[in-house]
Amino acid sequence: MIDIHSHILPGIDDGAKTIQDSVDMANQAVSEGIHTIMATPHHMNGSYQNQKSDILPLVDLLNERFKFEGINLKVLPGQECRIYGEILEDYKKGFVFPLNQVSQYIFIEFPSGSVPRYAERLLYDIQVEGLTPVIVHPERNAELIERPDKLYKLVKNGAVTQLTASSLVGYFGKNIQKFSQQLIEANLTHFIASDAHNIHNRTFKMEEAMDNIKKKYGIDMVYYFTENAEMLVDGKTIYKEIPELIKKKKFLGLF
Ligand code: FE
C-alpha cells in the first residue's frame, strides 16, 4: 500500500533525525506492507520551513540509499503545509508544491487547537487555482472535535481530508478514536496515512488501522482508502461519497 504522509526525510523536521533513522522507518514501513511512501516534511508550522528545493534532494538521497540497502520502498516528494495567508503566492514562486509534484493535491495542516477564520476563504482560493486541499488529521484538531459541522462545510465545499492511522487505532485516546470513526462513517475523510515520525512513539500503524477498518466496515472501505492513495499520487480524481453532518450526542439526563 501507499502511505501518503510521513516524516521520513532525515534532519529537516521533527521526524527522522539521521539517515539511519530513515532506514529504520523504511524497514518498519515495508514490514507493514507499504511499498511507496510520500515524504511530507513540515512547512511553515512555526518551527520548520521546508520548501521544494530543500525536499527534492533528500528524496533522491533516500531512494538511492534504500536501493543500496535492498529496501523495497519508493519515496515520493511531498510537503505538509501549515495554513498561512501567502500559501498561493509561495505556490506560484515554487516554494510550495503539489504532492508528488504531478498531482493537484496539497496538504493543509491547521493549528492543533483551532481553525483560522480565513481558512474557508483560503481553501476556496486554493481550489480556484486548480488545486485540491487535503486537510491533514482533522481528527486531532480541538475546534473540529467540538464543531464537526465546520469540517462538514469545508468538505462540502470541495476540500478532502486525511485521517491518521494511529488516531483510528486509539493511540491518541478514546475521544480522538471515536471522532475518527465518526469521520469515516459520515464520509468526511478520504485517506488514511501514518504521519509516522519515528519507530518509537509515532510509528506507522497502517496495517493495524486497515485491519481495524476491514473488521468494522468491510473490505470495500479498505479498497476505498488504498485506491484513493494510489489516485492521489497519480494526480487522478479520487473517490468521494456525499458528506454527512456528525450529530454531537447530548448527555442525556444532565438537566
Ligand atoms: Fe505530519
Side-chain angles (χ1 to χ4, degrees), residues 5-7 40 42 80 109 136-137 140 195 197 202:
H5 185 160
S6 77
H7 297 268
T40 52
H42 290 292
E80 179 177 12
E109 181 193 37
V136 296
H137 42 70
R140 279 156 46 202
D195 196 8
H197 281 63
R202 294 289 300 279

Side-chain angles (χ1 to χ4, degrees), residues 90-121:
D90 284 356
Y91 169 73
K92 285 169 192 159
K93 288 178 192 159
F95 300 157
V96 168
F97 67 104
L99 298 170
N100 195 24
Q101 296 193 85
V102 296
S103 83
Q104 68 275 36
Y105 299 94
I106 173 170
F107 271 174
I108 300 291
E109 181 193 37
F110 294 150
S112 61
S114 63
V115 177
R117 282 174 188 277
Y118 63 89
E120 192 177 337
R121 178 61 202 248

Side-chain angles (χ1 to χ4, degrees), residues 127 150-159 188 240 242-243:
Q127 291 175 76
K150 288 198 172 182
L151 186 67
Y152 168 79
K153 198 170 175 197
L154 297 173
V155 172
K156 203 165 173 288
N157 290 340
L188 287 171
K240 290 183 196 180
I242 296 167

